[in-house]
Amino acid sequence: MACTATYDQEVVFTNRGKKKVTHITLYKQAVCTWIPLQIMEVNSRTVFLHMSLSNAGESMSSITLSVPLSSDLSSDVEDYSCKALFQDNKDEKELIKSMKENSCVETFSVDVNHIPPSTYTVTGLGPPASGNDVGLPTGLPQDAALHGETSVIEEKLRKLVLSSNSETSDKQTRASFLNNPEKIHENQSSCVSLIFLKDTETKAIFSFFATNSEATFPFQLRPVTDYELVVFRGWETQKLCYRVHAVAHCSFKSYMTQMEVFELYKRALRHTLCLGFLPYYNFIPVTHLYRSKPLLHFLDIYKNTNGIMFKYIKNFGGDQASTLNRNLHGLFFSANVNPTTGLPPPVSYYGDQRIHIPVSLMITPFTNLYFADFYCHYVKHKVTLVVTRKGSDADNFCRSRLLSLSQSFNEFLYLSPGSHVAMVNTRVTVEVFYTESIDIVNLLKSKYAYITTVKQSGNPLLKTIFGIPKRKDCQICNTK
């Protein structure tokens, strides 16, 4: 349960005996937590971030800040205001929007890259290559944010949480700081990034610092989970008080691990294996896989790409936590046929021209087959299989992320050795993501492949570019 009890916290600005007392409302926490306070010098609209450590659920003694917080700003205590961040459950985008509108803080972009099984790295934290950001003090070297030193605060505090309902808080890490608070100030003259990672489901917020242009989350993220990331970039002007010159925000969903892929695979098996019949009852033979695109697409291949149908990066169709999304290039084909006639459907949602390629040319002894996804769009469930060339980059990518299947027998689509006919399970729509480009003109000239015309429905361009996410409320194909 999220903490709802609150207490009044006093923040005091002082200068040569003059004081200004402000009050903010904070949530009580079950453990010591870091509380980020947004301090603003109203005349210059300059923003500071002050990190205060609570004392586990009790009202803290007054937080005292000596002004000016930077030598070029006002010494009048009346010119400073204070509020707590991440305390009112407002959307992080609103936080950045408000900061952008009411201050001189700039915005920048960060990206989150994933390396299996669960390593996530934030990139783009450092200043632009052109030099200092707006507002950097003139005394700092241009490469200050890129030096190789690791500060104590980055090393010791990055596992501390700002929420009481997370089970991953680290008592030993907290003790390391509490026993050595004086070390915090070391190595903080250069540009740093204050990173806040929020689990939108549990509301836990993790904080850590980075001094380089990228930072790897030092703990395992929960798979298939939505995260919000807020990064403040600046430099330390007083102990644990940072002048903010730029802020960034991004949201992402953590990818499935192989364990989650295996769970999807088991769900697909339960759905496809019809009770009361032998497993192969739903299988029928197919000779070709097919791919539908608009006529202009094929004309462009004939005229501009020397007959090559080039692979492209996978969109966000299917499970939004699929590790394939925006990471792997390929071409989608379908093995979906009518169980009675054995023919593909007469209507296409992806274009009015359909190319048919023998399945025996795509699944060969030189390829590997992987199970990748199981999802639905309110109608028939779909299974995504991936075909890779053995030893290729795509093959290496899939080996550590997906579930390997036997090409000679599996529960969805298989080609027996020496056969030109594949068997496909008609209980689901089987899609094949083929990770190589194809010379379709050569295949057509040699009559290995052929093209048919079908009726088109809907806008194929939108489905191709963005993809259609899976149905989130389906109890059959969702693991959560």
Side-chain angles (χ1 to χ4, degrees):
M1 294 293 292
C3 181
T4 57
T6 61
Y7 65 92
D8 180 79
Q9 175 62 49
E10 187 176 76
V11 180
V12 181
F13 296 98
T14 67
N15 179 272
R16 297 181 179 180
K18 188 177 180 180
K19 293 184 178 182
K20 176 185 177 180
V21 179
T22 61
H23 295 267
I24 57 177
T25 300
L26 298 178
Y27 288 117
K28 290 185 178 180
Q29 305 289 352
V31 295
C32 294
T33 61
W34 284 105
I35 301 169
L37 303 180
Q38 178 185 317
I39 313 296
M40 180 179 288
E41 198 279 294
V42 295
N43 293 327
S44 64
R45 301 168 72 230
T46 300
V47 172
F48 294 84
L49 202 63
H50 178 75
M51 300 295 293
S52 299
L53 188 65
S54 73
N55 55 358
E58 298 297 328
S59 179
M60 295 188 295
S61 58
S62 298
I63 300 172
T64 302
L65 296 170
S66 177
V67 299
L69 297 180
S70 184
S71 59
D72 60 332
L73 298 181
S74 172
S75 298
D76 189 345
V77 294
E78 297 298 329
D79 290 336
Y80 291 85
S81 64
C82 175
K83 70 175 184 179
L85 298 180
F86 308 115
Q87 288 287 320
D88 52 9
N89 293 323
K90 285 186 178 179
D91 186 273
E92 280 67 30
K93 293 181 181 178
E94 288 297 319
L95 182 154
I96 291 183
K97 180 182 177 181
S98 175
M99 187 175 291
K100 176 69 175 176
E101 292 176 348
N102 300 306
S103 73
C104 60
V105 173
E106 300 294 326
T107 57
F108 68 102
S109 298
V110 292
D111 294 308
V112 179
N113 302 321
H114 172 240
I115 300 175
S118 56
T119 301
Y120 291 80
T121 299
V122 189
T123 59
L125 297 175
S130 59
N132 285 354
D133 279 346
V134 175
L136 275 175
T138 56
L140 288 185
Q142 291 190 6
D143 61 347
L146 303 178
H147 68 77
E149 296 179 359
T150 301
S151 65
V152 172
I153 195 167
E154 179 187 9
E155 181 180 346
K156 297 297 184 183
L157 302 184
R158 54 192 179 180
K159 287 187 180 180
L160 286 181
V161 297
L162 299 175
S163 173
S164 63
N165 57 358
S166 171
E167 297 179 358
T168 58
S169 58
D170 189 337
K171 294 181 179 179
Q172 184 175 358
T173 301
R174 285 199 304 279
S176 299
F177 162 66
L178 296 174
N179 294 331
N180 301 279
E182 70 282 353
K183 293 185 178 181
I184 291 276
H185 200 60
E186 297 177 4
N187 299 326
Q188 291 298 318
S189 61
S190 62
C191 181
V192 297
S193 296
L194 295 85
I195 304 170
F196 298 90
L197 179 69
K198 179 180 179 180
D199 183 326
T200 60
E201 184 176 326
T202 66
K203 307 303 180 184
I205 302 179
F206 303 85
S207 65
F208 53 100
F209 285 25
T211 55
N212 295 323
S213 59
E214 64 178 43
T216 300
F217 299 144
F219 42 82
Q220 182 172 333
L221 302 190
R222 297 194 306 129
V224 198
T225 300
D226 291 307
Y227 283 92
E228 297 283 337
L229 186 73
V230 180
V231 181
F232 299 94
R233 197 160 65 195
W235 66 94
E236 190 173 44
T237 59
Q238 292 186 13
K239 188 174 182 180
L240 291 176
C241 188
Y242 298 84
R243 183 168 181 168
V244 178
H245 60 86
V247 61
H249 170 269
C250 74
S251 57
F252 66 96
K253 183 184 287 288
S254 55
Y255 290 123
M256 290 184 280
T257 65
Q258 282 183 310
M259 183 177 298
E260 280 70 45
V261 174
F262 183 61
E263 176 61 30
L264 276 184
Y265 170 75
K266 292 191 295 182
R267 287 175 175 268
L269 289 189
R270 288 195 292 268
H271 179 70
T272 57
L273 298 181
C274 185
L275 296 178
F277 298 98
L278 293 176
Y280 54 78
Y281 176 82
N282 299 307
F283 283 82
I284 66 171
V286 293
T287 57
H288 292 71
L289 301 180
Y290 61 88
R291 173 176 170 81
S292 300
K293 300 295 289 183
L295 176 60
L296 290 177
H297 177 79
F298 287 98
L299 292 177
D300 180 67
I301 292 175
Y302 297 149
K303 294 180 180 179
N304 300 320
T305 64
N306 201 28
I308 305 297
M309 180 178 281
F310 284 105
K311 58 187 178 180
Y312 59 91
I313 196 163
K314 185 188 177 299
N315 59 26
F316 289 99
D319 198 305
Q320 296 295 281
S322 172
T323 188
L324 304 183
N325 295 343
R326 308 301 297 175
N327 281 320
L328 192 65
H329 289 73
L331 297 167
F332 266 111
F333 286 80
S334 180
N336 182 38
V337 293
N338 185 294
T340 303
T341 65
L343 299 175
V347 177
S348 166
Y349 297 97
Y350 299 95
D352 59 349
Q353 302 295 305
R354 180 178 285 164
I355 185 167
H356 305 254
I357 300 179
V359 65
S360 58
L361 293 182
M362 304 184 72
I363 301 177
T364 73
F366 305 102
T367 62
N368 283 325
L369 185 66
Y370 297 91
F371 173 88
D373 203 356
F374 176 53
Y375 66 98
C376 74
H377 294 143
Y378 294 94
V379 189
K380 191 175 182 180
H381 276 81
K382 299 183 179 182
V383 164
T384 300
L385 307 180
V386 179
V387 175
T388 64
R389 178 170 49 84
K390 287 184 177 180
S392 64
D393 290 342
D395 191 43
N396 294 333
F397 180 94
C398 294
R399 186 179 301 115
S400 57
R401 292 165 165 85
L402 306 180
L403 180 65
S404 179
L405 298 178
S406 168
Q407 295 187 151
S408 58
F409 182 78
N410 63 74
E411 298 82 358
F412 308 107
L413 176 72
Y414 64 90
L415 181 70
S416 299
S419 171
H420 297 288
V421 177
M423 302 300 294
V424 63
N425 192 328
T426 59
R427 291 273 295 174
V428 290
T429 296
V430 177
E431 300 174 323
V432 175
F433 193 61
Y434 188 74
T435 59
E436 298 294 323
S437 299
I438 301 175
D439 187 343
I440 63 170
V441 169
N442 236 2
L443 291 177
L444 292 169
K445 285 181 177 178
S446 61
K447 299 188 183 304
Y448 281 115
Y450 64 93
I451 291 180
T452 58
T453 300
V454 295
K455 181 180 179 180
Q456 179 181 306
S457 177
N459 188 337
L461 186 60
L462 294 178
K463 294 181 176 64
T464 300
I465 294 177
F466 301 108
I468 304 176
K470 75 187 298 183
R471 176 184 171 188
K472 293 184 178 180
D473 60 345
C474 179
Q475 300 299 313
I476 297 175
C477 59
N478 282 283
T479 57
K480 285 194 174 182

